Amino acid sequence: MTEPPASPEAPRNRVNTTQPHTARIWNYWLGGKDNYEIDRETGDQIRRLHPGIGDYALADRQFLGRAVSHLVSECGIRQFLDIGTGLPTAGNTHEVAQRLAPDARVVYVDNDPLVLAHARALLSSTPEGSTDYLDEDLRDVDGILDHAAKTLDLSSPVALMLLGVVIFVDDHEDPHGLVRRLVDALPPGSHLVLSHTITSPAMPDVDAAVAFWNEHGTPKLTQRTPADVTRFFDGLDLLDPGVVSCNHWRPDPSDEPVPDEVAMYGGVGRKA
């Protein structure tokens, strides 16, 4: 198992506790404790604008669990590259994967200093498996792949996990091209698991909540339509039921209930 960064104090010094941050608000909505008063206040304000927003975090986390379980149990995947990890909560990728396959390997990638400060929790692993953590930005594709190759065998299938992270890449930065570069570097049999907040005329309160966030929080968000989200899977074989509201992707009756439709869409695609 790779050891966590030697000096977590440095990332903590980079944490801005006077401005709300999306990872900490997400943690607050999931019932975590790794957040500050400014995050809770902003999270509550966003929830007043869109009362169901907290359910998106839960739906996305449940989607992660079901997708990872399917990939391990049904597709034989044993390697995961999880970019945009977020703060550790229950049901992290390595926990789900190694519960089913103790030899699973996971590399986490995030550029949030608070996540880096909690890297030790993410780096726990079964003796048979391995986890690693990289302090890097999604936009540095080459850096991510070079580091991941120290833990993962990139000549064997890998599950690329991009849950709720591409929303932070603006259109002028070519988000579809970034995802394509990552997928292109992986061998046949690899899978893309992606979720993304959508914009829809049927959910105007979501747009209002995002606008509020972009005025007060960091980093800024870019919403996309369901069709734009589906484009991330171009060239891949989409698994049923396609790109849908996260809670509709192979739902499990044991999951905690969420609204029938959430503005967090997700899908899983296989590289032939």
Side-chain angles (χ1 to χ4, degrees):
M1 183 181 76
T2 304
E3 288 298 317
S7 301
E9 292 78 14
R12 287 195 185 101
N13 291 337
R14 288 157 48 199
V15 175
N16 183 352
T17 62
T18 65
Q19 185 175 32
H21 194 286
T22 182
R24 302 195 305 255
I25 292 177
W26 205 254
N27 176 266
Y28 170 54
W29 285 334
L30 284 171
K33 298 179 180 179
D34 298 310
N35 48 74
Y36 298 97
E37 182 176 358
I38 186 65
D39 306 306
R40 296 186 287 273
E41 290 175 352
T42 304
D44 289 339
Q45 288 177 292
I46 293 174
R47 190 145 42 193
R48 282 192 289 271
L49 287 169
H50 181 52
I53 193 74
D55 294 316
Y56 298 179
L58 177 59
D60 194 47
R61 177 59 51 160
Q62 292 174 345
F63 168 62
L64 180 152
R66 296 194 304 273
V68 171
S69 296
H70 173 81
L71 292 175
V72 172
S73 300
E74 304 299 327
C75 304
I77 297 295
R78 295 294 184 269
Q79 303 188 109
F80 294 83
L81 178 56
D82 187 334
I83 303 177
T85 304
L87 288 166
T89 60
N92 299 298
T93 297
H94 75 281
E95 293 171 328
V96 178
Q98 292 181 348
R99 185 167 59 243
L100 297 167
D103 60 337
R105 297 183 175 191
V106 180
V107 172
Y108 289 109
V109 182
D110 205 297
N111 66 347
D112 187 317
L114 191 60
V115 177
L116 183 59
H118 288 263
R120 188 174 295 275
L122 288 168
L123 288 169
S124 61
S125 175
T126 58
E128 305 92 331
S130 179
T131 62
D132 193 8
Y133 180 87
L134 172 61
D135 180 15
E136 191 54 85
D137 190 281
L138 168 62
R139 299 162 183 83
D140 184 8
V141 172
D142 293 336
I144 289 173
L145 293 171
D146 287 345
H147 185 97
K150 299 176 183 178
T151 301
L152 307 179
D153 176 5
L154 299 186
S155 66
S156 297
V158 175
L160 172 62
M161 313 288 293
L162 296 173
L163 276 74
V165 63
V166 187
I167 190 173
F168 302 119
V169 182
D170 193 82
D171 286 336
H172 79 271
E173 298 176 289
D174 189 18
H176 293 90
L178 283 173
V179 174
R180 175 51 52 196
R181 287 178 60 199
L182 285 163
V183 172
D184 284 348
L186 303 178
S190 295
H191 289 70
L192 170 64
V193 182
L194 183 144
S195 66
H196 198 298
T197 304
I198 65 159
T199 180
S200 167
M203 299 179 177
D205 46 349
V206 177
D207 295 346
V210 171
F212 177 86
W213 171 258
N214 283 340
E215 182 179 352
H216 299 279
T218 184
K220 307 305 180 187
L221 312 180
T222 299
Q223 290 172 279
R224 296 183 172 93
T225 66
D228 286 333
V229 177
T230 302
R231 279 185 54 211
F232 287 109
F233 295 91
D234 283 356
L236 303 178
D237 297 329
L238 264 176
L239 277 59
D240 290 335
V243 178
V244 295
S245 178
C246 280
N247 54 313
H248 293 311
W249 197 90
R250 307 194 178 197
D252 186 330
S254 66
D255 283 342
E256 292 184 52
V258 295
D260 182 62
E261 184 85 0
V262 300
M264 179 68 73
Y265 270 43
V268 180
R270 181 183 185 276
K271 183 176 180 179

